[in-house]
């Protein structure tokens, strides 16, 4: 036998028998077999179901004060534990990063939602390899790992079919995944479903489709399949709802159950919830309910000061929201019934919580045009369409993209102040339920209510301790969270998390042993100690009585502690008025290159599609083999009911539909003569965030619409499709007549050519802001 080892400079060659514990002979008879040790979880290890709801406020479920019927969650609370003083971060991606890693979000690279890339470590939007996720740890310890629903831990620019997928669920420890990678979606027509590592190519959904039902079906199927193949292996299921994030959409039968419930308004509902919270022991009887939010731009009107028409509309928004909460509870019941049927519910840890507080992004009036209301730009014109008229019967359905007024967000966050995005309690204090019948038993005298302060980073270490699994690995970074298992075992135990910093888009806070230092930062304002307010949340949990003037020494001490924690965790630099958050790294420049799409190309992913048109001029060239009489259908579409545009041929005529955040503009561009080869759509970006469109057929100008508002922010929400209008349509009337309206003629290609950025592009705005700052200095 010769040893053909590689040279010192060449690749190594491993001995195939090295380390084999058996014996190798020339034949089987002369050899002794051995098998590698299989990874198995500890004997009797529990299943883990982690249910994460999006934008759900503290009081939105029965066990925390709501009037919404949530019998499944009520049952969990009766059997398990309610953490009344649990805190999270004020926004979804940072909360999810902290939840999955047990590390502070800035350390992991999620200073904000995964829709930015300004070029700093805290905004990297990538979980480093030396910070294992909860799923990676559990999978390495013999668990099956499943994720369904919202992910939002991959940067939006990394969501397309050509992405490296390094931060997609399967690369972060999950064995199977089904859901939406981004932060929100249309619950009747999800814009881009992904299964495992593959975006699904879907033209239309079946009648009656509803996303919350779908992801629950997928979760149930995963569990059933596991048990059919392996009777013993425990599983970790991460069930991350997109509900109740806007756009608010619910099934008609669920909405019907809540008709009339909110006619009394948010002031009445808030008081009723607070009364129930105190009666249930969530707060001491002497706790005060703050006055309505009154901060400039965040204020809430008295319900009785609204007109009857406003009251009817706003109450209906809340009926839809309540129906979504109701539906989440129903679907959790279906999942738990499956576990009961398998005989596994007693040995399953169930955690139910929210990523942040209720959202005030609907503004004072709410909106039936969520993407226009959600648009954030320093140069929005005075005539910006923040809402569109809608038949009330359409509200909550697939044709309306609704968000409730912030008065209802205030009620959702009862009894706390402010909303999602803020470091006041309304943004960061949310409900948490945990139950494990076999392993977390309560004494008869224990009501299961826990008032100790705990933080989102504590969930991962708690679950690992309860499961008997160690977080191991070479060179892994320490966790910031600590297990609160001792608190579950003993209601008199001290909090395991005595202090914590927080920061979100300049809003800051620092908690230490019951005292909380907090700011409400105005964008562009200087960062100084005058912003700080100080509260003793042991006696003032609703943050009413500011003690900063009385205790300046403590303010200074906690402010210094925040500063130290900020440097230690990668919080700096803080956002300012420079416009830097709107800018993207050079790797994204290729996303704005021209692209030619052939018939049969799957829908171009939302973010890649947006880079071709956002804040800029652009052209769309449609090449036909040769138009023939009788050909018809959609040539190109981009967007959906929340905003978009499409070119289509119907009855021999070329038509252009522009959906301006829900307001539909239809243009008849005249007949197409047989033999037509080229159709050119030109969009010119003008001041005040407008586009001026022009249409030409074989070089001849055709009718075009008047200038319209550009689609910015998250619109168009669906990507570009060639030869069909997939899923949620741009034009609902066309959809009613023809469905997805696939083009019947010979379509050769569609080419997008991005033009120059418009006068209100992020680049132009950032330049203007920098120039203004330089002049001021």
């Amino acid at each position: 036998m010769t040893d053909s080892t590689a040279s010192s400079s060449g690749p190594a060659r491993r001995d195939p028998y090295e380390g084999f514990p058996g014996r190798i002979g020339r034949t089987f008879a002369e050899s002794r077999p051995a098998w590698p040790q299989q990874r198995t979880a500890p004997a009797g290890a529990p299943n883990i179901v982690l249910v994460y709801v999006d934008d759900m406020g503290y009081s939105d479920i029965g066990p925390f004060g709501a009037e919404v019927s949530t019998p499944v969650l009520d049952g969990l609370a009766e059997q398990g534990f309610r953490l009344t003083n649990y805190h999270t971060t004020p926004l979804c991606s940072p909360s999810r990063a902290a939840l999955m890693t047990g590390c502070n979000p800035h350390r992991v690279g999620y200073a904000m939602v995964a829709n930015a890339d300004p070029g700093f470590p805290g905004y990297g939007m990538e979980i480093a390899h030396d910070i294992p996720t909860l799923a990676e740890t559990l999978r390495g310890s013999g668990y099956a790992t499943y994720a369904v629903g919202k992910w939002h831990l991959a940067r939006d620019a990394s969501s397309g079919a050509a992405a490296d997928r390094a931060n997609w669920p399967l690369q972060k420890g999950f064995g199977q995944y089904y859901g939406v990678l981004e932060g929100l979606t249309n619950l009747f027509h999800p814009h881009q479903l992904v299964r495992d590592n593959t975006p699904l190519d879907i033209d239309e959904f079946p009648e009656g489709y509803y996303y919350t039902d779908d992801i629950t079906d997928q979760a149930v199927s995963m569990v059933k399949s596991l048990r059919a193949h392996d009777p013993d292996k425990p599983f970790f299921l991460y069930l991350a709802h997109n509900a109740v994030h806007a756009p608010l959409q619910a099934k008609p039968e669920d909405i019907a159950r809540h008709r009339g419930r909110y006619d009394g308004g948010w002031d009445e509902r808030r008081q009723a919830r607070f009364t129930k919270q105190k009666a249930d022991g969530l707060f001491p009887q002497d706790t005060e309910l703050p006055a309505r939010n009154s901060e400039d731009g965040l204020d809430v009107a008295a319900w009785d000061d609204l007109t009857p028409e406003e009251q009817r509309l706003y109450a209906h928004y809340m009926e839809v929201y309540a129906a979504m909460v109701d539906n989440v509870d129903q679907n959790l019941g279906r999942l738990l019934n499956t576990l009961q049927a398998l005989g596994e519910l007693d040995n399953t840890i169930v955690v139910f919580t929210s990523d942040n507080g209720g959202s005030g992004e609907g503004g004072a009036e709410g909106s039936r045009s969520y993407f226009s209301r959600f648009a954030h730009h320093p140069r929005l014109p005075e005539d910006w369409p923040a809402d569109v008229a809608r038949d009330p019967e359409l509200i909550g359905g697939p044709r309306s993209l609704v968000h409730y007024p912030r008065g209802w967000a205030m009620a959702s966050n009862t009894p706390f102040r402010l909303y999602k995005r803020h470091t006041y309690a309304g943004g960061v204090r949310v409900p948490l339920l945990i139950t494990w019948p076999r392993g977390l038993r309560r004494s008869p005298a224990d009501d299961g209510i826990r008032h100790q302060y705990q933080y989102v980073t504590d969930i991962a270490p708690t679950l690992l301790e309860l499961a008997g699994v160690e977080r191991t690995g070479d060179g892994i970074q320490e966790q910031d969270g600590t297990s609160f298992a001792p608190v579950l075992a003993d209601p008199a135990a001290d909090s395991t998390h005595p202090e914590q910093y927080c920061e979100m888009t300049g809003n800051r806070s620092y908690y230490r042993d019951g005292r909380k230092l907090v700011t409400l930062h105005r964008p562009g304002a200087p960062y100084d100690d005058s912003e700080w307010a100080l509260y003793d949340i042991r006696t003032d949990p609703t943050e009413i009585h500011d003690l900063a003037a009385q205790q300046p020494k403590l303010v200074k001490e906690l402010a210094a502690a925040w500063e130290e924690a900020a440097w230690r965790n990668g919080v700096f630099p803080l956002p300012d008025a420079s416009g830097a958050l709107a800018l993207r790294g050079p790797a994204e420049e290729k996303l704005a290159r021209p692209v030619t799409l052939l018939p049969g190309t799957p829908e171009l992913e939302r973010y890649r599609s947006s880079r071709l048109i956002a804040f800029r001029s652009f052209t769309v060239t449609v090449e036909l083999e040769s138009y023939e009489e009788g050909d018809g259908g959609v040539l190109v579409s981009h967007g959906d009911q929340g905003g978009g545009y499409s070119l289509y041929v119907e009855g021999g005529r070329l038509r252009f539909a522009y959906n301006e955040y829900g307001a539909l503009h239809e243009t008849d561009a005249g007949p197409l003569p047989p033999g037509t080869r080229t159709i050119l759509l030109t969009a010119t970006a003008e001041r005040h965030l407008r586009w001026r469109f022009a249409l030409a057929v074989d070089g001849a100008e055709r009718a075009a619409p008047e200038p319209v508002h550009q689609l910015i922010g998250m619109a168009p929400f669906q990507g570009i499709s060639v030869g069909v209008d997939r899923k949620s349509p741009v034009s609902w009337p066309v959809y009613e007549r023809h469905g997805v309206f696939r083009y019947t003629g010979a379509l050769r290609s569609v080419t997008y050519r991005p033009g120059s950025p418009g006068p209100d592009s992020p680049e132009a705005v950032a330049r203007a802001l920098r120039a203004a700052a330089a002049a001021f200095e």
Side-chain angles (χ1 to χ4, degrees):
M1 179 177 179
T2 60
D3 183 12
S4 57
T5 57
S7 67
S8 59
S9 61
R13 181 183 181 91
R14 183 177 61 83
D15 181 349
Y17 301 119
E18 181 181 354
F20 178 66
R23 185 175 67 243
I24 301 294
R26 296 193 74 241
T27 66
F28 276 95
E30 300 172 68
S31 305
R32 185 180 72 249
W35 288 269
Q37 183 90 19
Q38 295 293 313
R39 294 178 302 180
T40 58
N47 303 315
I48 300 171
V49 175
L50 177 49
V51 184
Y52 218 45
V53 185
D54 200 356
D55 285 6
M56 189 184 72
Y58 186 88
S59 72
D60 280 333
I61 58 175
F64 282 78
E67 67 293 329
V68 181
S69 177
T70 55
V72 177
L73 294 171
D74 294 349
L76 294 181
E78 290 168 7
Q79 186 178 55
F81 300 86
R82 278 180 279 184
L83 273 66
T84 68
N85 199 6
Y86 167 76
H87 288 64
T88 181
T89 86
L91 219 51
C92 50
S93 295
S95 292
R96 289 158 205 275
L99 176 83
M100 278 290 132
T101 65
C103 297
N104 288 327
H106 296 82
R107 277 185 62 206
V108 189
Y110 291 85
M112 60 178 299
V113 290
N115 298 77
D117 183 24
F120 300 104
Y123 297 81
M125 311 300 173
E126 294 181 348
I127 300 175
H129 70 278
D130 57 353
I131 302 180
T133 67
L134 178 60
E136 287 174 309
T137 298
L138 289 170
R139 185 174 66 179
S141 298
Y143 270 71
T145 53
Y146 306 117
V148 296
K150 172 173 172 173
W151 182 240
H152 214 194
L153 288 174
R155 193 186 304 127
D156 48 14
S158 301
S159 297
D164 66 7
R165 296 165 168 78
N167 278 270
W168 288 28
L170 264 61
Q171 283 62 249
K172 290 302 170 186
F174 290 100
Q176 289 182 247
Y177 171 70
Y178 178 87
V180 172
L181 293 176
E182 292 196 274
L184 59 121
T185 199
N186 183 315
L187 300 189
F188 291 104
H189 301 115
H191 68 291
Q192 179 63 83
L193 285 171
V194 171
R195 186 180 296 281
D196 298 335
N197 272 331
T198 304
L200 299 180
D201 191 17
I202 297 172
D203 282 356
E204 55 188 326
F205 292 96
E207 187 173 352
Y209 176 91
Y210 189 64
Y211 175 80
T212 307
D213 296 342
D214 183 17
I215 62 173
T216 304
D217 289 342
Q218 298 292 327
V220 168
S221 177
M222 290 172 183
V223 170
K224 287 180 176 179
S225 178
L226 174 66
R227 279 299 162 260
H229 291 86
D230 189 318
D232 303 316
K233 191 171 192 174
F235 65 84
F236 168 46
L237 170 63
Y238 176 48
L239 174 51
H241 287 286
N242 286 77
V244 289
H245 194 295
L248 307 183
Q249 296 175 309
K251 298 193 295 186
E253 59 268 30
D254 291 332
I255 297 174
R257 280 195 297 278
H258 300 274
R259 290 284 190 187
R261 175 168 287 167
Y262 298 98
D263 290 353
W266 46 63
D267 293 325
E268 175 187 277
R269 237 342 84 206
R270 185 172 179 242
Q271 183 62 58
R273 290 186 176 190
F274 184 50
T275 300
K276 184 174 186 294
Q277 288 171 338
K278 291 195 293 184
D280 289 350
L282 273 60
F283 299 98
Q285 288 300 312
D286 60 356
T287 303
E288 301 173 67
L289 182 66
R292 288 183 214 92
N293 295 328
S294 59
E295 292 81 358
D296 185 32
L298 306 171
D299 56 307
V300 174
W303 183 263
D304 289 343
D305 290 345
L306 303 176
T307 68
E309 292 76 14
E310 288 172 329
Q311 290 179 345
R312 282 193 293 271
L313 176 62
Y314 298 175
H316 192 21
Y317 288 150
M318 188 60 187
E319 291 167 359
V320 176
Y321 182 90
M324 296 172 74
V325 175
D326 179 346
N327 183 265
V328 166
D329 188 78
Q330 294 174 49
N331 275 293
L332 179 57
R334 291 202 298 125
L335 174 62
L336 298 187
N337 286 342
T338 300
L339 297 179
Q340 184 71 58
L342 292 169
E344 300 198 30
L345 188 55
D346 279 356
N347 197 31
T348 299
I349 301 170
V350 179
V351 177
F352 181 94
T353 188
S354 176
D355 60 352
N356 48 249
S359 167
E361 293 159 341
E365 305 87 12
S367 181
R368 291 153 290 186
S369 180
Y370 175 62
F371 293 130
S372 60
R373 173 72 72 178
F374 193 64
H376 301 293
H377 193 282
R379 294 182 180 174
L380 285 182
E382 290 184 2
D383 65 346
W384 186 259
D387 197 7
V388 296
R390 274 287 181 270
D391 181 337
E393 291 305 310
L394 299 180
I395 292 175
R399 296 181 60 181
S400 67
L401 302 182
V402 168
H403 200 9
Y404 63 7
R406 59 177 174 249
W408 287 122
M410 179 185 69
S412 289
N413 296 332
T414 302
F416 304 121
R417 295 172 56 191
L418 302 179
Y419 320 99
K420 168 187 177 180
R421 296 175 175 267
H422 301 128
T423 46
Y424 274 80
V428 298
R429 201 158 165 180
V430 296
L432 188 143
L433 298 171
I434 181 169
T435 182
W436 178 21
R438 181 178 296 180
L440 290 172
R441 299 185 184 276
R442 284 170 22 194
S443 70
D446 185 354
D447 61 7
I449 295 176
R450 299 293 186 266
H451 299 297
Q452 295 88 333
Y453 178 98
Q454 300 297 157
Y455 193 62
V456 61
T457 53
D458 301 337
I459 289 181
T462 301
L463 292 175
L464 292 178
E465 179 177 343
L466 294 177
V469 172
E470 291 187 11
R471 183 176 180 260
T472 59
D474 295 329
I476 63 173
Q477 295 194 41
E478 65 178 353
Q479 288 182 302
D480 299 299
T482 50
S483 169
F484 54 76
V487 169
L488 301 176
D490 180 4
D494 291 334
S495 163
T496 64
H497 204 114
E499 57 186 294
Q500 179 63 43
Y501 86 91
C502 188
E503 186 276 333
M504 183 59 57
T505 59
N507 293 311
R508 296 163 287 155
S509 72
Y510 198 85
Y511 169 88
R512 177 185 286 171
D513 293 327
R515 281 85 166 183
K516 180 180 175 183
L517 198 66
V518 63
T519 71
L520 177 60
H521 182 73
R522 294 296 178 183
Y527 293 96
D528 57 47
D529 286 350
S530 67
E531 288 190 298
W532 291 118
L534 176 67
Y535 301 98
D536 187 335
I537 65 173
R538 299 169 301 178
T539 58
D540 181 24
T542 51
E543 300 172 348
I544 296 175
H545 303 290
D546 181 6
L547 305 176
Q550 301 172 34
Q551 302 185 42
K553 183 178 179 182
L554 183 56
V555 170
K556 186 175 181 179
E557 177 184 329
L558 295 181
W562 183 91
E563 192 84 6
E564 180 182 352
W567 283 113
R568 186 169 183 264
N569 286 278
V571 174
F572 297 114
L574 293 171
D576 55 21
S578 68
L581 274 179
L583 304 181
R584 296 290 183 128
E588 290 197 25
E589 293 176 1
K590 65 181 180 181
L591 299 182
R593 293 178 189 169
V595 60
T596 295
L597 305 171
L598 304 179
T601 301
E603 180 179 308
L604 196 63
E605 183 270 330
R606 180 198 69 82
Y607 189 74
R608 165 67 162 130
S609 297
S610 73
R611 295 306 87 192
L612 298 171
I613 70 164
F615 297 105
R616 64 171 68 244
S617 301
F618 64 94
T619 64
V620 184
T621 304
V622 179
E623 297 285 355
L624 305 176
E625 294 293 344
S626 180
Y627 173 74
E628 296 182 8
E629 189 174 346
D631 292 345
V634 172
L635 299 169
V636 61
S637 68
H638 183 188
D640 53 28
Q641 283 292 284
Y645 56 92
S646 68
L647 271 173
Y648 64 97
V649 180
E650 184 181 35
R653 303 180 73 85
L654 177 65
R655 299 179 185 272
F656 178 62
Y658 189 82
N659 188 320
E660 191 178 25
Y661 299 103
L664 184 63
H665 307 281
E666 292 270 12
T667 300
D668 183 346
L672 280 187
T676 295
R677 295 297 181 93
T678 303
I679 299 169
L680 178 66
L681 173 69
T682 301
T684 302
E686 299 182 337
R687 290 177 57 82
H688 307 303
L689 291 168
R690 290 182 177 274
W691 273 322
R692 182 179 297 277
F693 284 102
L695 271 169
V697 175
D698 285 341
E701 293 293 323
R702 292 294 186 93
E706 293 297 312
V708 290
H709 292 100
Q710 294 177 27
L711 300 170
I712 64 173
M714 298 299 287
F717 196 57
Q718 271 183 209
I720 297 167
S721 290
V722 172
V724 64
D725 190 354
R726 295 182 169 98
K727 294 169 286 195
S728 178
V730 171
S731 169
W732 197 270
V734 171
Y735 174 75
E736 287 183 319
R737 294 195 297 269
H738 304 289
V740 299
F741 206 15
R742 190 174 291 277
Y743 186 65
T744 59
L747 175 60
R748 179 181 297 170
S749 65
V750 173
T751 299
Y752 274 76
R753 293 183 176 86
S756 57
D760 299 308
S761 69
E763 296 87 351
V765 171
R767 283 195 300 270
L769 289 171
R770 285 195 294 269
F776 178 78
E777 290 170 1

